Amino acid sequence: MTTVLKPDICVIGAGSGGLSVAAAAAAFGVDVVLIEQGKMGGDCLNTGCVPSKALLASAKAAVAEAAGKKLGVHFGTVGVDFARANDHVQAVIAAIAPHDSEERFEGLGVTVLKHHARFTGPDRMLAGETEIRARRFVIATGSRAAVPPIPGLDTVSYLTNETLFDLRQAPEHLIVVGGGPIGMEMAQAHRRLGSKVTVIEAQKALGKDDPEQAAIVIDALRSEGVTILEDTKVAGVEKTGSGVSISVETPEGVQRSLEGSHLLVATGRAPTVDGLDLEKAGVTYSRKGIEVDRGFRTSNRRVYAIGDVTGGLQFTHVAGYHAGLVIRSILFRLPAKENRDLIPWVTYTSPELGHVGLSEPEARRRHGDKVRVLRAEYAGNDRAQAEGKTVGCLKLIAGPGGRLLGADIVGSQAGEIVNLLSLAVSQKMTMKALAGFVAPYPTLGELVRRAAISYYGDAPKNPWVRRVVQFLRIFG
């Protein structure tokens, strides 16, 4: 017998975006139904951000001896136990899982249904034996690994982020198809944990980031023994007795074969829309995702969509950002418009690669010759010198009036520094503000201040102003 629920909000998907909407709505006393057919916490907790960063932590520890020798510390014999590294990954997931659990959300007052959800009309959906007739629906079903149409791929066993973290033994030779953030992070992690690793990228590795800074990361991975083949196409895949054989075409048009024990497909993400019966709800979508306006409303005014399923920037923090905007719209009738110029991202390789705001080319398209690029090198930072981490560079993109439009950074703790810069971009701060704050010494955060001070390097004719600039250069 079908049970009928009539909540104010029905959320489909218990990943970052869906959980944020459900928790916020429940906190305001709103009746919420949350539907999730898989694991609570979604991709980020179970097969994405959390396990990948946990594995990277193990990989970082594996090369601690080499770093220690440079600083005069010897560890003796160092070995890698891949199974225990996997234990660490699973332990981290288990430690975070209670925060995203069904029990916690039920305790917040959310009705959680562990079923597949599908629309049966523009104002209702079915989850198991329960029909939900909600005032508003929020689709937050996320994305899954996109599998490219490579000839022979369907005849071999291959890994994606959904299966990679189940490995209990290090691959002998891991071939990674895709040189984006996921591919490069996992390439470095597995190389440090004892695997031979080859990355195949059809275009440029880390192609969405600043080319100069991406090159520093690529050089770092190559120096650790990762083979990176750029502008190289995968022509086909076939099974061998001990693994897989990959046929590739080089930039010169030469075909060659690579033999590997394991194949990781990391060629991007595809929105999860299968089985939702969006047509019955009158929700327009394509292979790129559900179509939404700037306020995340779909073609059905009752239905919103947020996060990866909309096909935009695919990051956990973006889904959380979307959730906050949707809550503003649904509960408070306030304008809710996404501003992608504020979104930061980080690739957690060593060195890390971070970005926020406008890139240099985009800034120049909008503001022309009013844009200035300010730099600060890690080699000129005392904390970086003290820790032996001098490879890296910070770029600030300054626009009209010295306003910070964006930033790119490669180096140690780049992700932490991007936090400060993300705040600065969102608050429309200027080089004056970034040059004027007091940074504790010695910290990597001083890079921001030093780069901002250089904005005043082209000293005006006034001699007093020149003296101030020179003072800041010497004592700043």
Side-chain angles (χ1 to χ4, degrees):
M1 182 175 179
T2 301
T3 301
V4 178
L5 298 178
K6 298 181 179 180
D8 289 308
I9 300 175
C10 176
V11 181
I12 307 97
S16 171
L19 292 178
S20 296
V21 170
F28 285 106
V30 174
D31 187 13
V32 184
V33 169
L34 173 64
I35 308 173
E36 173 57 62
Q37 66 173 337
K39 294 181 178 180
M40 297 286 287
D43 178 81
C44 179
L45 172 61
N46 298 289
T47 60
C49 317
V50 171
S52 65
K53 303 313 167 279
L55 192 67
L56 283 166
S58 293
K60 189 174 183 179
V63 296
E65 180 186 22
K69 284 182 178 180
K70 184 178 179 181
L71 302 178
V73 179
H74 297 273
F75 293 91
T77 302
V78 175
V80 173
D81 186 332
F82 194 87
R84 291 194 67 180
N86 182 267
D87 289 341
H88 169 64
V89 170
Q90 303 307 320
V92 172
I93 294 172
I96 298 173
H99 185 267
D100 295 347
S101 67
E102 179 179 352
E103 293 76 14
R104 175 173 179 263
F105 276 78
E106 290 279 7
L108 294 175
V110 177
T111 299
V112 180
L113 303 178
K114 297 288 289 179
H115 294 285
H116 171 71
R118 61 183 180 86
F119 283 97
T120 56
D123 62 349
R124 63 195 62 195
M125 72 187 323
L126 195 64
E129 296 297 318
T130 304
E131 182 179 72
I132 302 95
R133 302 175 189 174
R135 186 172 61 87
R136 294 287 184 267
F137 293 88
V138 179
I139 303 172
T141 48
S143 63
R144 63 183 187 280
V147 180
I150 298 173
L153 186 60
D154 58 345
T155 67
V156 303
S157 296
Y158 61 88
L159 300 164
T160 67
N161 70 294
E162 295 171 4
T163 54
L164 178 65
F165 303 106
D166 294 333
L167 294 180
R168 298 289 295 171
Q169 185 174 349
E172 181 180 342
H173 181 190
L174 177 65
I175 297 178
V176 181
V177 178
I182 296 174
M184 297 295 273
E185 287 179 0
M186 292 301 93
Q188 187 175 47
H190 284 81
R191 179 70 190 111
R192 289 179 165 190
L193 292 170
S195 300
K196 179 181 178 181
V197 180
T198 300
V199 177
I200 305 169
E201 169 53 49
Q203 299 180 34
K204 296 296 182 185
L206 299 173
K208 293 184 179 180
D209 286 281
D210 179 87
E212 178 190 2
Q213 298 195 341
I216 293 174
V217 175
I218 293 167
D219 288 346
L221 267 66
R222 282 177 170 153
S223 71
E224 293 184 14
V226 177
T227 299
I228 302 173
L229 307 176
E230 297 181 285
D231 299 311
T232 300
K233 298 178 181 179
V234 178
V237 180
E238 62 181 24
K239 184 176 176 58
T240 65
S242 57
V244 293
S245 176
I246 316 294
S247 176
V248 300
E249 184 177 320
T250 68
E252 297 75 27
V254 177
Q255 288 201 344
R256 54 180 289 206
S257 294
L258 303 172
E259 302 285 334
S261 62
H262 294 71
L263 173 63
L264 170 62
V265 176
T267 51
R269 310 285 298 173
T272 304
V273 295
D274 296 343
L276 289 174
D277 288 351
L278 296 173
E279 297 86 353
K280 294 180 180 179
V283 173
T284 303
Y285 68 99
S286 68
R287 64 180 184 84
K288 294 181 179 179
I290 296 175
E291 295 181 12
V292 295
D293 61 19
R294 289 191 64 185
F296 305 102
R297 265 194 162 127
T298 70
S299 52
N300 179 342
R301 301 291 289 175
R302 286 179 176 268
V303 181
Y304 293 76
I306 62 174
D308 288 11
V309 76
T310 63
L313 295 172
Q314 296 178 330
F315 302 104
T316 295
H317 51 280
V318 170
Y321 168 54
H322 289 180
L325 293 175
V326 163
I327 285 293
R328 283 170 53 93
S329 177
I330 295 177
L331 299 188
F332 303 106
R333 303 291 195 274
L334 295 173
K337 293 184 179 180
E338 178 187 26
N339 183 356
R340 293 189 181 179
D341 292 349
L342 306 180
I343 303 300
W345 65 73
V346 179
T347 300
Y348 295 91
T349 47
S350 293
E352 292 182 355
L353 183 61
H355 168 84
V356 66
L358 302 184
S359 65
E360 180 182 347
E362 179 60 28
R364 294 197 184 282
R365 278 194 294 271
R366 297 192 194 183
H367 301 285
D369 58 7
K370 295 180 181 180
V371 171
R372 290 182 56 190
V373 179
L374 313 170
R375 301 173 62 98
E377 304 292 335
Y378 268 65
N381 178 269
D382 292 359
R383 179 65 176 271
Q385 287 288 349
E387 296 189 353
K389 297 177 180 178
T390 56
V391 175
C393 172
L394 166 67
K395 291 183 180 181
L396 300 182
I397 314 299
R403 176 184 163 189
L404 179 65
L405 301 177
D408 291 285
I409 180 169
V410 60
S412 176
Q413 297 185 46
E416 302 303 322
I417 297 172
V418 164
N419 272 307
L420 167 63
L421 297 172
S422 182
L423 172 65
V425 169
S426 69
Q427 297 302 306
K428 302 180 180 181
M429 294 175 69
T430 64
M431 295 305 106
K432 178 181 178 181
L434 294 178
F437 83 98
V438 179
Y441 174 87
T443 59
L444 294 176
E446 291 180 285
L447 289 162
V448 175
R449 186 165 176 265
R450 186 161 294 277
I453 287 172
S454 71
Y455 180 78
Y456 303 98
D458 296 330
K461 295 180 180 180
N462 188 306
W464 290 102
V465 175
R466 285 203 305 271
R467 290 176 188 176
V468 170
V469 170
Q470 192 64 18
F471 175 85
L472 290 172
R473 282 181 169 178
I474 296 172
F475 298 105

